[in-house]
Amino acid sequence: MKPIGKHSLLGASGEISDFQEILRYLDELILYDNMWDDGNSLGPKEVHNYLTRVMYNRRNKFNPLWNSLVLGGVKKGQKYLGTVSMIGVNFEDNHVATGFGNHLARPILRQEWHENLSFEDGVRLLEKCMRVLLYRDRSAVNKLQIAKITEVGVTISQPYSLKTYWEFSAFENPAQGA
Amino acid sequence: MFRNQYDTDVTTWSPAGRLFQVEYAMEAVKQGSAAIGLRSRTHVVLGCVNKANSELSSHQKKIFKVDDHIGVAIAGLTADGRVLSRYMRNECINYSFTYESPLPVGRLVVQLADKAQVCTQRSWKRPYGVGLLVAGLDESGAHLYYNCPSGNYFEYQAFAIGSRSQAAKTYLERRFENFTDSSRDDLVKDAITAIRETLQGETLKSSICTIAVVGVGEPFHVLDQGTVQQIIDTFEIAAEQEDPATEPDAATGQEAATEQGTAADQGGSTDEGAAPMDI
């Protein structure tokens, strides 16, 4: 995850080197935006659409950037959350996820998300989703970071671990019912 | 300005540090028919006087919609103005496509000014002979800019360019402090009055002036002739009701204007039937 400009945060899954390339594109974009030195700045909606154009163009050239991107931000009180896939599919929603998160986490979010979540409740909800994913991804590591974006700016927490319980008999003796 | 040996090329400086070709280009703007602009906190209004080659021809188009949130009025070489409008429309559309957001007016104006500057520094080009009043709305509010052939641009509360624009400028200077909080309709009335100042005696009819508005919740559009004529008619009615004894000069002018006004109304309605290209 990386903050972009004054108003946005970008998270990605997939090929990290492609993500780094995207960050370089965005660096340049934000640089030129700042060089105008006028009162205007690119908000999350603009960055999201720019990324959509980039991803879709690469897909058309059969040379995709192998990432799923999540772009969130707040500008002038307006909250924004959107996603772009590696083939350029993009949309905005109240909750988005990449990869298996779409299958495991979004149903939980659909049930439990509501307009007036406090920050703490939001974090708890996300941790619940991450725990579900952590238990089911064989290549996952129990370390996550939470980012918070407000009108004031972006803060990303230090990495921390979720409490997990591995003493279930199914884990101890997986072949028992086979 | 008199001819001298330093005015042949745009790339030749005069000993006094002037680029005469650029200044001559600004003269072209002063020869064009008047265009005025004024803004409030939430709306910007553009107005211009329409010239027609002859009674048989249609009027020159001098106000162009650049995007839903930006419009431009030109004075000077209208052909150059058309080309620059096309450039502006392109820039707006490209920005909208990439960012799904309207192009901030300030940025468009800078791009336009940079484009004009290029023509002041190439020996194989000439400066654009058109002044542009760019009216637009963006996140930071309502804006009115004036772009010169020299590549300079300024932001204004209200401005007038073209021939006899000084009369309009004087009128606007008297009133501009109230514009910020004006309502949209008052702004339109002020615009039409400013146009009337540039006509200096000629009758004000909706066929010779064009008014366009852009504002919060109101995309840029040109007001149709009927609406403009209605507003002009309310002036004439107000003028009739004013006490003629207060200002003797104005009184004779007003009485003459009201007579001409009523005649113009009748003339106007037959005009609209007889000259369809006036629209």
Side-chain angles (χ1 to χ4, degrees):
Chain A
M1 289 191 297
K2 278 273 163 2
I4 310 289
K6 286 191 294 232
H7 305 282
S8 327
L9 178 87
L10 177 67
S13 74
E15 180 65 55
I16 297 296
S17 58
D18 281 349
F19 177 53
Q20 289 169 336
E21 190 67 10
I22 290 174
L23 289 178
R24 277 172 11 97
Y25 287 156
L26 288 176
D27 259 345
E28 212 180 299
L29 181 74
I30 299 294
L31 179 70
Y32 281 120
D33 188 41
N34 290 337
M35 272 174 25
W36 280 104
D37 200 20
D38 57 8
N40 297 299
S41 54
L42 291 173
K45 179 178 189 194
E46 286 84 22
V47 176
H48 182 226
N49 272 286
Y50 172 79
L51 288 170
T52 307
R53 290 291 122 235
V54 169
M55 301 298 273
Y56 185 64
N57 261 291
R58 292 289 296 256
R59 164 262 199 199
N60 283 337
K61 294 195 264 206
F62 274 92
N63 183 17
L65 288 159
W66 210 277
N67 292 112
S68 283
L69 303 170
V70 167
L71 197 293
V74 181
K75 187 178 182 198
K76 292 232 169 80
Q78 298 271 51
K79 296 172 284 198
Y80 189 89
L81 182 63
T83 178
V84 192
S85 77
M86 69 186 249
I87 54 171
V89 175
N90 75 310
F91 54 90
E92 268 176 75
D93 208 338
N94 293 316
H95 43 83
V96 295
T98 63
F100 263 82
N102 277 307
H103 300 109
L104 296 174
R106 290 201 72 202
I108 302 175
L109 291 166
R110 272 184 216 122
Q111 289 272 58
E112 307 201 8
W113 180 88
H114 61 88
E115 186 78 55
N116 301 312
L117 275 174
S118 69
F119 177 65
E120 291 73 26
D121 284 340
V123 172
R124 231 168 283 137
L125 184 55
L126 280 178
E127 283 180 354
K128 181 174 181 180
C129 296
M130 293 305 286
R131 186 173 285 113
V132 167
L133 290 162
L134 167 63
Y135 277 131
R136 284 164 180 76
D137 185 353
R138 63 149 173 81
S139 57
V141 169
N142 188 359
K143 209 185 236 182
L144 71 140
Q145 291 174 281
I146 298 276
K148 176 181 182 181
I149 315 135
T150 57
E151 189 70 49
V152 174
V154 176
T155 44
I156 306 182
S157 73
Q158 286 301 320
Y160 66 100
S161 304
L162 295 172
K163 280 214 283 282
T164 54
Y165 182 71
W166 292 100
E167 316 306 321
F168 289 115
S169 58
F171 293 145
E172 308 233 290
N173 201 359
Q176 187 172 47
Chain B
M1 253 174 268
F2 300 110
R3 282 231 67 196
N4 51 60
Q5 50 182 155
Y6 306 110
D7 68 354
T8 314
D9 271 323
V10 75
T11 48
T12 306
W13 287 98
S14 84
R18 296 158 70 170
L19 288 169
F20 281 109
Q21 278 295 304
V22 175
E23 296 184 19
Y24 295 165
M26 315 265 265
E27 274 305 303
V29 177
K30 294 185 202 157
Q31 302 298 333
S33 55
I36 61 114
L38 31 103
R39 68 165 171 158
S40 71
R41 209 189 307 277
T42 53
H43 287 80
V44 194
V45 179
L46 292 174
C48 68
V49 171
N50 294 330
K51 248 198 294 215
N53 264 340
S54 69
E55 274 185 29
L56 300 167
S57 82
S58 64
H59 293 291
Q60 281 268 359
K61 183 167 175 183
K62 282 160 49 87
I63 294 193
F64 298 92
K65 174 171 174 168
V66 167
D67 201 347
D68 283 334
H69 66 298
I70 302 183
V72 62
I74 61 174
L77 265 53
T78 42
D80 284 359
R82 219 178 39 241
V83 160
L84 287 177
S85 304
R86 186 162 53 233
Y87 169 74
M88 292 164 82
R89 285 172 178 165
N90 239 328
E91 293 300 302
C92 281
I93 273 187
N94 286 337
Y95 188 92
S96 267
F97 174 69
T98 312
Y99 301 104
E100 257 208 52
S101 219
L103 175 59
V105 195
R107 295 195 180 182
L108 178 63
V109 163
V110 173
Q111 283 173 287
L112 199 54
D114 287 346
K115 193 171 161 72
Q117 190 278 341
V118 169
C119 299
T120 66
Q121 214 176 4
R122 307 277 185 272
S123 61
W124 62 92
K125 288 184 181 241
R126 62 158 178 83
Y128 288 107
V130 63
L132 300 117
L133 282 171
V134 183
L137 222 64
D138 61 25
E139 281 185 342
S140 46
H143 298 279
L144 175 69
Y145 289 92
Y146 171 53
N147 276 70
C148 296
S150 60
N152 278 329
Y153 66 96
F154 303 97
E155 184 160 11
Y156 285 97
Q157 187 71 37
F159 201 52
I161 56 176
S163 68
R164 295 185 291 199
S165 58
Q166 188 51 53
K169 265 189 260 192
T170 318
Y171 171 78
L172 293 169
E173 270 166 31
R174 277 202 312 259
R175 310 278 309 260
F176 80 95
E177 262 144 7
N178 302 322
F179 287 161
T180 314
D181 297 309
S182 259
S183 72
R184 173 209 186 269
D185 294 329
D186 282 341
L187 218 58
V188 174
K189 282 205 195 100
D190 276 320
I192 298 182
T193 318
I195 300 232
R196 189 173 59 180
E197 300 292 315
T198 67
L199 295 172
Q200 285 181 356
E202 237 180 278
T203 34
L204 175 67
K205 301 185 280 196
S206 65
S207 54
I208 55 169
C209 75
T210 312
I211 305 285
V213 187
V214 64
V216 174
E218 192 179 347
F220 184 88
H221 64 109
V222 176
L223 299 182
D224 73 295
Q225 276 211 311
T227 321
V228 179
Q229 188 60 50
Q230 271 178 344
I231 304 177
I232 295 176
D233 293 342
T234 58
F235 287 170
E236 312 302 334
I237 297 171
E240 276 177 35
Q241 289 169 345
E242 263 176 46
D243 183 8
T246 45
E247 286 167 287
D249 283 354
T252 37
Q254 278 168 6
E255 280 164 30
T258 45
E259 282 165 10
Q260 283 173 346
T262 38
D265 284 345
Q266 293 157 351
S269 38
T270 45
D271 269 355
E272 276 160 60
M277 286 204 285
D278 275 9
I279 308 157

